[in-house]
Amino acid sequence: MALSPNIIAALQIMYTGKGVSASDLNWWATAGKDITYEEAVALFANSADAKAKYPFFQAPQTADKRQYIAQVFANLYNIDINDTSLVPTEELNYWINWLSLSPDNYLVFPSALNHASAAAGLTDRLDALINKTDTSLLFAETFSSVGVNTFTPEQSADASAVIAGVDETPGSVLAAEAQIIELAAGVNVYTIAEAQATPNLPPLYTISDSADNLIAGTADAVVVDATIGDEEDRAVGP
């Protein structure tokens, strides 16, 4: 059975800090429907986006474990590990040691941390990631409703920035919702026929044909001076 959109969106955030698009979700529901949670974690953890998000992944045997842990806490929960009221010294030391127990533990750490936080009943942490996940799905749904099923690099960056600002508080969610509405309102979507008939198109836009969306590129005969926007890498996992 296919992994749920919530699991996919959460894994995407945990390992890349990015939002999912409608085309990402469609891929997981179709071509990726038989991928298990463990396989998804491995796919996300080994993705280029994960290496970009967490420099530790590029040199796990020599990189700073404490710094990596700090980046994961900040990405998942907007928590500063220097705040011992939120991350006790004992917990921090536990995770530093845990990362040393196996050379591959770093790959599953974001998922393991979230499972451990859930088991410990740390609801503020869970609420933060749930809110980020819901925001990611809302971003995808809202942009799909205006004809964008695959993000341009700029739209992907916007999604990441909006998600990063969300924490466990309802106020952060409301602020994110307002940002999403404003961003979606500024989207320019052209059908292929409209693109062919419209002179001097802006340098970056989305063209839409039937149910799916295509990102205009410089090699596209229909478009002039467009920025290339390849479909996002799809990470896997619950």
Side-chain angles (χ1 to χ4, degrees):
M1 185 174 69
L3 298 173
S4 73
N6 294 73
I7 287 177
I8 294 160
L11 283 176
Q12 182 87 306
I13 292 166
M14 287 193 285
Y15 281 94
T16 73
K18 291 187 172 185
V20 291
S21 67
S23 62
D24 291 331
L25 295 174
N26 180 66
W27 186 88
W28 286 104
T30 54
K33 66 181 177 61
D34 295 324
I35 294 174
T36 67
Y37 179 82
E38 291 73 19
E39 291 169 338
V41 167
L43 285 172
F44 276 109
N46 286 286
S47 69
D49 283 339
K51 291 182 175 65
K53 182 66 178 175
Y54 300 121
F56 187 92
F57 282 30
Q58 300 172 26
Q61 304 311 316
T62 58
D64 188 325
K65 294 181 176 61
R66 191 180 192 281
Q67 183 180 44
Y68 172 45
I69 292 169
Q71 291 171 333
V72 174
F73 268 93
N75 182 39
L76 271 61
Y77 311 125
N78 290 31
I79 285 178
D80 182 350
I81 64 169
N82 293 309
D83 186 342
T84 55
S85 68
L86 298 176
V87 185
T89 302
E90 295 78 9
E91 181 185 11
L92 179 57
N93 289 338
Y94 169 84
W95 287 119
I96 291 173
N97 179 66
W98 184 86
L99 286 171
S100 303
L101 296 178
S102 167
D104 294 328
N105 272 1
Y106 76 96
L107 293 170
V108 297
F109 173 59
S111 179
L113 172 63
N114 198 54
H115 283 300
S117 297
L122 299 174
T123 56
D124 283 354
R125 294 184 188 180
L126 302 182
D127 288 345
L129 186 57
I130 289 170
N131 287 347
K132 288 176 182 288
T133 299
D134 289 344
T135 297
S136 176
L137 293 173
L138 178 63
F139 197 106
E141 179 183 357
T142 303
F143 269 66
S144 182
S145 72
V146 296
V148 178
N149 291 325
T150 300
F151 298 151
T152 63
E154 286 73 14
Q155 289 162 351
S156 179
D158 284 339
S160 296
V162 171
I163 292 165
V166 173
D167 55 27
E168 77 280 5
T169 63
S172 70
V173 176
L174 291 175
E177 290 173 353
Q179 287 179 281
I180 292 169
I181 291 170
E182 182 178 357
L183 288 166
V187 170
N188 290 317
V189 178
Y190 299 85
T191 64
I192 290 176
E194 289 170 340
Q196 290 172 323
T198 305
N200 302 318
L201 288 172
L204 180 62
Y205 60 88
T206 302
I207 59 175
S208 175
D209 188 27
S210 70
D212 199 7
N213 289 277
L214 305 173
I215 302 304
T218 52
D220 193 321
V222 174
V223 206
V224 179
D225 295 329
T227 300
I228 296 176
D230 293 333
E231 193 165 317
E232 294 176 292
D233 288 340
R234 296 186 176 86
V236 210

